[in-house]
Amino acid sequence: ATPEEKLKGDVLALQMEDHYVRAHTPLGSELILMRMRDAVAELDGMAGAQVHRSWWVARAAVTGVTRDGRNIRLRLTGDLEAPVSRANAPVLEAAGWW
């Protein structure tokens, strides 16, 4: 399957790892050789946001939020946690992510 085909389906989150993107799904995760920007573009129309420079999260995958001082992490389906950048925190909070 092409990298684009691997992103079709139920994506919970994308996580950048070096030159790869790790696609997290309910069935597990897989490394795909593509840029984060291209991977996010493939999910066009799917409700979600780039919450950190190295993470994109599907809105439906968020189950809660953890705060530790100024650090914010989103709890996701499948025991995943994604960091929220300080720049994105006010935008996501205003949009009702937590």
Side-chain angles (χ1 to χ4, degrees):
T2 68
E4 292 79 12
E5 290 169 341
K6 291 178 182 177
L7 288 174
K8 301 298 181 213
D10 203 5
V11 175
L12 304 173
L14 299 176
Q15 178 184 9
M16 198 166 62
E17 294 185 20
D18 294 320
H19 296 290
Y20 292 83
V21 171
R22 180 171 298 280
H24 296 280
T25 72
L27 303 175
S29 69
E30 181 173 355
L31 279 176
I32 303 168
L33 180 58
M34 69 188 313
R35 295 180 308 192
M36 181 67 136
R37 155 176 63 220
D38 295 337
V40 170
E42 287 296 320
L43 300 175
D44 187 36
M46 188 172 180
Q50 190 144 0
V51 299
H52 187 274
R53 64 182 158 79
S54 61
W55 280 84
W56 178 93
V57 172
R59 180 71 177 96
V62 177
T63 61
V65 63
T66 303
R67 293 175 185 265
D68 180 17
R70 292 184 354 174
N71 296 324
I72 299 172
R73 297 182 72 76
L74 295 175
R75 286 193 310 274
L76 310 176
T77 305
D79 287 335
L80 294 169
E81 277 198 357
V84 175
S85 71
R86 291 194 183 116
N88 288 335
V91 175
L92 294 170
E93 188 170 20
W97 280 57
W98 63 83

